[in-house]
Amino acid sequence: MSDLSRLPIENTSTQAEESIVSFQAEIPLNLEMAMKRYIEMHPNWDQYRLVQAALAGFLVQNGVNSRPITRLFIENMFSNTSVNS
């Protein structure tokens, strides 16, 4: 199960004022291994982009009607660069 703990919020310098919240989560070993294999096979993805796309996609598919969340999902799915590039 997830054990989320919030760390300090950092402001980013993007066009719109956004905040980034870091968290830690325990995930099953098989999920971690699948994530690592995917990232190894797709070098333009990193763990941050993968988690952001997964969370945003889940929210969009489950009825969250938010333009910023939809934009984040689309940007992660169709961008050629990783989040940290």
Side-chain angles (χ1 to χ4, degrees):
M1 299 296 155
S2 293
D3 176 32
L4 303 179
S5 57
R6 288 185 176 211
L7 299 177
I9 295 175
E10 307 167 15
N11 287 330
T12 61
S13 57
T14 59
Q15 291 177 352
E17 284 296 317
E18 295 182 29
S19 294
I20 295 176
V21 177
S22 298
F23 66 92
Q24 294 178 339
E26 293 180 17
I27 59 172
L29 182 59
N30 57 354
L31 181 58
E32 179 188 10
M33 297 306 295
M35 288 174 58
K36 285 182 179 182
R37 280 192 304 270
Y38 185 86
I39 292 167
E40 287 171 0
M41 292 171 38
H42 300 87
N44 59 322
W45 284 78
D46 60 24
Q47 66 186 18
Y48 305 104
R49 180 177 174 191
L50 184 60
V51 170
Q52 282 184 14
L55 287 172
F58 173 84
L59 293 172
V60 168
Q61 291 174 1
N62 286 282
V64 172
N65 190 12
S66 166
R67 192 169 252 181
I69 298 297
T70 302
R71 185 178 307 122
L72 180 63
F73 175 66
I74 291 170
E75 287 173 359
N76 276 304
M77 293 305 297
F78 298 106
S79 174
N80 289 328
T81 59
S82 66
V83 174
N84 288 332
S85 294

